[in-house]
Amino acid sequence: MLRDIEKNGIVKWEDVQASRGCPGEGRAKKGPVAVIECLQEIPCNPCETGCRFGAITVGDPITNLPVLDEEKCTGCGTCVAVCPGLAIFIEDESKDGPEAMVSVPYEYMPVPERGAEVRATDRSGQVICDAKVVNVRKPKGFNKTAVVTLAVPREYVHVARGIAIQ
Amino acid sequence: MRETDIAVIGAGPAGLAAALACGESGATTLLVDFMDAPGGQLIKQTHKFFGSERQFAGTRGIQIPDIIMDQLSKMPNVALMWGTNASGYYADSGVLTLEDGARFIKAKAKRVIIATGAAEKPLAFENNDLPGVYGAGAVQTLMNVHGVKPGDRVLMVGSGNIGLIVSYQLIQAHVEVVALVEAAGRIGGYLVHAAKLRRAGVPILTSHTVVRALGEETVRAAVVAEVDQSWQVKPGSEREVACDVICLAVGLTPLVDMMWQAGCEMKYVPALGGHVPVRDENMRASNPAVYVAGDAGGVEEASSAMISGEIAGISAARSLGFEVKEADARLAQLKADLAAIRSGPTGEKICAGIKCATVCGGEW
């Protein structure tokens, strides 16, 4: 049986939740955590080698799907930048108030600046809500992939995955 | 006549890795490429590589030639010839003919590593000769090498990794990708690449193909249609999509002319893209002076090309009696890396193809 993603390329949240790269319900309420949306066994492991906390395991063979250890994950966002597939995001629901934070990898120009008002998109590219850029990180080690943190209404924490290109 | 222990034809990922291994062994090595700079396809690959650290995972393709050239240029036994076409190989004498635009050069090599890469396959449809119909490689070269925008609205044809990646790079260059069509019922390349495109709002239409290009002087639209399981256009499903570029990413075929000239035993292996030389596990062809590396031996990824290049380089140097440090352990590691890269569902087709192209028992 073909999964929908193999036909249309759209990642389904239920499939992410069923994978071992997804933190458990409630983890993001305690603090930022990686959500790995890697659902196909491809030969790739920079997420594992790039994580200095040992929170992601691919192991042998290198085509294994990544497994997240949500206790070890600090939500630092290094994996977001090093994943060649741009398939890792950070969710953070720990702050009080109506907003949650979602960090996304971003490789388009210009990179939005901190404080910018942008439009967040879902996994199919549809604009879902307005969002505020609360942080932008692009240190040299990220090798030209910026990690942009968006503040979005809480209900979109598992939905917001991109920024409409300006 | 110029003489060398080993000649490496092609300075893409496979040829660079092969030349590095040959150079380390102390063998005199001549690395030839028809382009004016090394790197082959790497010079347009702006995306980060997959694989493991040993295959430069996380490094962008465009950054890899400098890393390898930095080492190669320090090796006095390695000669580099850019802008030079390898136009012929005479198997009886081991003589290569090279031309650099001004001179015709003969070079005698004891071993030749052929790393000539692959060429894009075309697609037959009405009006496919209209200006605006491009191969994906050409689009990538225009954009990423020359900084030229190929058009404003692109229809991408083919959902292998090249079609997916070039679409992403077009969006990065602020070109609109109106849709990606794929005749098969499923996406061919990595789903993470497809997901990235979808997040940028590009529709991916599987079971769809391009039927004809419309336009007088140049492309102004494409007619796309749904196809059934036997690849036939479903009547009534045709529709027009406005675009000024139709970009074809429908597969590659190995460039094997020199291997035919060398009298190598060849085999038609569709899973590898066409005719390929039969080889042993160390990438040696049936002609014992000839080794093959990278896409010339079967179309795969750049990461596997670098591994097969290193295997070919070590093996060719060893066959001439040059000492390669920890050769056995390195070869074992490289072969394990290749097997790992090819494991899993995305590697099944390649594995079947490689099995078909490898000499029985793995050794000549």
Side-chain angles (χ1 to χ4, degrees), chain B residues 3-359:
Chain B
E3 296 200 6
T4 184
D5 292 321
I6 303 170
V8 181
I9 311 302
L16 285 172
L20 194 58
C22 296
E24 283 168 5
S25 77
T28 56
T29 305
L30 175 65
L31 175 60
V32 180
D33 198 283
F34 82 107
M35 294 292 283
D36 292 325
Q41 297 301 304
L42 292 173
I43 63 167
K44 32 188 162 158
Q45 296 182 352
T46 51
H47 59 282
K48 287 179 177 171
F49 272 36
F50 288 71
S52 77
E53 278 175 340
R54 282 195 295 276
Q55 295 96 44
F56 298 99
T59 305
R60 295 180 187 277
I62 48 170
Q63 298 165 330
I64 295 173
D66 283 348
I67 298 170
I68 299 182
M69 282 308 298
D70 190 47
Q71 294 170 264
L72 273 182
S73 56
K74 289 178 190 139
M75 296 177 169
N77 54 323
V78 177
L80 309 167
M81 290 177 83
W82 310 142
T84 303
N85 250 314
S87 53
Y89 178 65
Y90 295 82
D92 51 350
S93 55
V95 171
L96 282 160
T97 54
L98 311 169
E99 57 89 10
D100 66 2
R103 295 171 303 163
F104 191 71
I105 304 153
K106 284 186 288 182
K108 195 174 165 90
K110 293 180 191 134
R111 298 286 183 271
V112 180
I113 298 174
I114 296 175
T116 41
E120 292 188 282
K121 288 178 182 171
L123 185 70
F125 58 90
E126 198 180 318
N127 276 342
N128 73 352
D129 58 346
L130 262 186
V133 179
Y134 289 88
V139 163
Q140 222 182 5
T141 303
L142 278 175
M143 275 195 307
N144 299 355
V145 180
H146 302 294
V148 174
K149 217 173 156 183
D152 293 315
R153 289 168 63 82
V154 176
L155 174 75
M156 184 64 67
V157 183
S159 73
N161 277 337
I162 295 180
L164 297 172
I165 289 171
V166 174
S167 296
Y168 180 62
Q169 294 173 355
L170 280 159
I171 300 166
Q172 288 180 306
H174 293 255
V175 176
E176 186 187 354
V177 179
V178 292
L180 184 150
V181 294
E182 164 60 60
R186 69 195 308 162
I187 292 164
Y190 293 165
L191 296 179
V192 284
H193 286 314
K196 202 162 71 177
L197 270 191
R198 284 308 315 227
R199 288 202 299 275
V202 177
I204 297 176
L205 308 172
T206 45
S207 301
H208 278 73
T209 192
V210 55
V211 178
R212 74 182 69 87
L214 302 176
E216 297 302 320
E217 299 291 317
T218 60
V219 171
R220 66 167 175 79
V223 175
V224 300
E226 200 176 342
V227 293
D228 62 23
Q229 282 176 343
S230 45
W231 313 98
Q232 299 304 304
V233 169
K234 284 189 183 172
S237 69
E238 297 190 4
R239 62 191 168 93
E240 217 177 291
V241 177
C243 59
D244 59 357
V245 171
I246 298 171
C247 184
L248 304 177
V250 291
L252 301 164
T253 192
L255 281 169
V256 292
D257 310 66
M258 289 198 97
M259 263 118 21
W260 286 111
Q261 287 186 7
C264 299
E265 183 185 337
M266 305 292 284
K267 202 163 176 181
Y268 185 73
V269 185
L272 299 180
H275 279 98
V276 292
V278 180
R279 82 298 300 265
D280 67 11
E281 286 186 336
N282 293 320
M283 303 311 292
R284 206 192 90 185
S286 65
N287 177 335
V290 177
Y291 289 74
V292 65
D295 277 5
V299 175
E300 275 185 85
E301 299 291 325
S303 36
S304 31
M306 288 185 276
I307 301 176
S308 71
E310 195 175 339
I311 293 175
I314 293 172
S315 307
R318 259 185 142 188
S319 74
L320 293 172
F322 288 95
E323 280 289 325
V324 180
K325 228 165 78 184
E326 292 169 17
D328 286 321
R330 261 173 86 182
L331 283 174
Q333 178 69 61
L334 289 163
K335 287 173 192 174
D337 285 349
L338 259 189
I341 281 188
R342 291 168 179 160
S343 69
T346 55
E348 277 169 18
K349 192 175 136 195
I350 291 293
C351 282
I354 297 289
K355 198 175 165 199
C356 196
T358 303
V359 68

